[in-house]
Amino acid sequence: MDPTRVYMDYNATTPLEAEVVQTITEALQKAWGNPSSTYPAGVKAKAMIKKSRESVARLVGGEADDIIFTSGGTEANNMVFHTAVEHFWRNWEAAQETHQHLNENRVFPHIVTSNVEHDSVKLAAEYLQENRKADVTFISVSQETAHVEVQDIIAAVRPNTCLISIMLANNETGVIMPIQEICSRVKAMNKKRENLRILLHTDAAQALGKIPVNARELGVDFLTIVGHKAAELVTNNLLDYEAHMQKTRLYLEERLKAVFKDKIHFNSHYPGSDILPNTCNVSILGPGLQGWRVLSNCTRLLASVGAACHSDSGDKPSDILLSCGIPVAVAANAVRLSLGRGTTKADVDAVVEDLKETVQLLC
Ligand SMILES: Cc1ncc(COP(=O)(O)O)c(C=O)c1O
Ligand SMILES: O=C(O)CC[SeH]
């Protein structure tokens, strides 16, 4: 990357560490075979996949046999939603015998999710609803906490609810959701739902590599993680990564406050809500300082207005921030700064200076 640029978009993806590049290269050179083949290239591929499954299972507190590799978080999330619908219909006959009120002519699998999910969950849910394959309840996050409230999830459960899918941490605000409490409450409900057990899913794509992620402790049936976060490196270094990102993010916030004073709003700050250690969503207040305009005039900072997959949204403020209660004029000026394990204080100083100079240019 251009050495004059400072990458602060780690929530979009992570630059590969040298050892990760080396491992991938080795696999491409020596383990190119079909894992079912019995000659060396196939045997090596099978061994690498087995080792990878074991490594990921250690990372997320799961069993190696339960690890399914997909093309990414989008495919994984879609797979969960379609699996849950299948799960519902497989249990439908048994449920109908015990729940006569579920009239076969009008029942659909019911899914509960939130209104701040990544598009790979939101669009999967909307597809099922629009194509009359499921009813979906999108729970609004609290505008005080920017996370879902457990009692709202529980209140939304119906006899035909087959899946609750709430992300572990939001990719734009970094706000962490109360997944463990939701799972604990739903598991108690499931004890009385002998045929239509509610499946529990969390999209942990943004949490892995930043905070501890343990499927068993969370209590989920499905956990989505993404490869952008190099499993073994995280397993071995998470506490250091987390502490470093937290310290560096707090320094970033301190410097932004010192430079912009009352002209800055921290869109990730909600009293009492936990956020990812690396995420700093901010708006520099004032006319002509839309996030996209500020970023496109920065000479060093590389970041996003919000989710990378919405980078072509132009002037449209983030629906996620609006759902969290951020006023339109503030959300329109949002810039998402997301730090990584390699971000330094010098990077922070360079980015804050770049933002200061850019704002002076635009104002
Ligand atoms: C919260 C969340 N879920 C899902 C995804 C999609 O993952 P992928 O890009 O691997 O499809 C992302 C992307 O980073 C994400 O941030
Ligand atoms: O940038 C993000 O939030 C993830 C990829 Se859309």
Side-chain angles (χ1 to χ4, degrees):
M1 182 166 67
D2 175 349
T4 67
R5 305 305 293 245
V6 179
Y7 184 69
M8 265 197 197
D9 206 12
Y10 282 81
N11 284 10
T13 194
T14 306
L16 292 174
E17 295 287 344
E19 57 247 72
V20 175
V21 173
Q22 184 188 341
T23 301
I24 293 172
T25 304
E26 186 187 320
L28 292 173
Q29 288 170 337
K30 298 176 184 169
W32 46 268
N34 182 317
S36 300
S37 302
T38 55
Y39 40 76
V43 170
K44 283 192 175 74
K46 187 171 186 175
M48 274 201 166
I49 290 170
K50 180 176 183 296
K51 182 170 181 284
S52 304
R53 276 214 167 87
E54 290 162 356
S55 172
V56 171
R58 273 196 304 277
L59 173 66
V60 296
E63 300 297 330
D65 287 347
D66 294 337
I67 304 299
I68 300 172
F69 291 118
T70 68
S71 59
T74 299
E75 181 186 357
N77 288 336
N78 274 267
M79 187 186 290
V80 169
F81 274 68
H82 292 277
T83 300
V85 169
E86 275 179 45
H87 155 79
F88 173 85
W89 290 117
R90 270 204 308 276
N91 293 275
W92 161 240
E93 286 68 29
Q96 199 189 20
E97 284 154 23
T98 51
H99 296 277
Q100 292 310 321
H101 60 285
L102 287 177
N103 173 331
E104 188 158 2
N105 300 323
R106 60 184 174 79
V107 76
F108 280 106
H110 176 238
I111 293 171
V112 178
T113 187
S114 82
N115 67 339
V116 294
E117 300 291 319
H118 182 266
D119 272 359
S120 58
V121 164
K122 177 184 175 224
L123 298 179
E126 288 176 350
Y127 168 84
L128 292 171
Q129 182 155 274
E130 286 156 13
N131 290 276
R132 293 179 60 74
K133 294 180 186 298
D135 282 336
V136 182
T137 303
F138 294 88
I139 299 291
S140 297
V141 294
S142 153
Q143 303 208 338
E144 280 70 48
T145 63
H147 64 59
V148 292
E149 299 302 324
V150 176
Q151 65 273 14
D152 293 345
I153 302 291
I154 301 305
V157 169
R158 302 175 192 168
N160 56 324
T161 301
C162 63
L163 174 68
I164 293 174
S165 174
I166 304 293
M167 67 194 331
L168 183 49
N170 184 267
N171 47 314
E172 294 199 25
T173 62
V175 169
I176 296 170
M177 304 287 172
I179 300 304
Q180 198 164 17
E181 191 184 346
I182 291 168
C183 291
S184 168
R185 294 280 301 275
V186 172
K187 284 187 181 308
M189 298 174 87
N190 274 339
K191 286 187 177 129
K192 302 180 189 108
R193 293 168 62 104
E194 65 281 2
N195 294 309
L196 281 177
R197 192 170 76 83
I198 301 168
L199 297 175
L200 292 154
H201 168 241
T202 192
D203 174 358
Q206 284 297 338
L208 195 78
K210 300 162 190 170
I211 58 173
V213 175
N214 186 300
R216 209 172 283 117
E217 289 173 8
L218 287 170
V220 294
D221 296 295
F222 300 98
L223 179 85
T224 297
I225 59 172
V226 293
H228 321 223
K229 321 287 177 198
E232 276 190 9
L233 278 175
V234 172
T235 304
N236 300 335
N237 303 289
L238 180 60
L239 294 181
D240 292 341
Y241 289 166
E242 188 177 9
H244 171 73
M245 288 188 277
Q246 178 83 353
K247 192 170 81 173
T248 311
R249 194 251 306 166
L250 292 174
Y251 177 68
L252 169 62
E253 293 184 351
E254 182 191 302
R255 292 297 306 135
L256 288 168
K257 273 184 216 152
V259 169
F260 294 104
K261 298 180 175 50
D262 62 345
K263 294 297 182 202
I264 198 151
H265 182 272
F266 291 96
N267 304 320
S268 297
H269 286 188
Y270 295 88
S273 294
D274 293 326
I275 62 169
L276 293 173
N278 80 313
T279 304
C280 175
N281 193 309
V282 291
S283 295
I284 302 170
L285 307 178
L289 296 178
Q290 294 84 350
W292 67 270
R293 192 156 181 259
V294 170
L295 284 180
S296 57
N297 282 280
C298 282
T299 59
R300 303 200 64 189
L301 172 60
L302 296 174
S304 301
V305 168
C309 43
H310 291 173
S311 295
D312 55 356
S313 301
D315 259 339
K316 184 176 178 297
S318 157
D319 286 335
I320 301 292
L321 294 184
L322 297 177
S323 299
C324 295
I326 304 292
V328 172
V330 178
N333 286 19
V335 170
R336 183 190 65 180
L337 304 173
S338 48
L339 287 63
R341 49 187 175 240
T343 305
T344 65
K345 281 192 169 184
D347 291 332
V348 168
D349 292 338
V351 160
V352 173
E353 186 59 26
D354 191 13
L355 287 168
K356 181 183 170 188
E357 290 168 3
T358 301
V359 167
Q360 285 166 349
L361 174 75
L362 297 176
C363 282

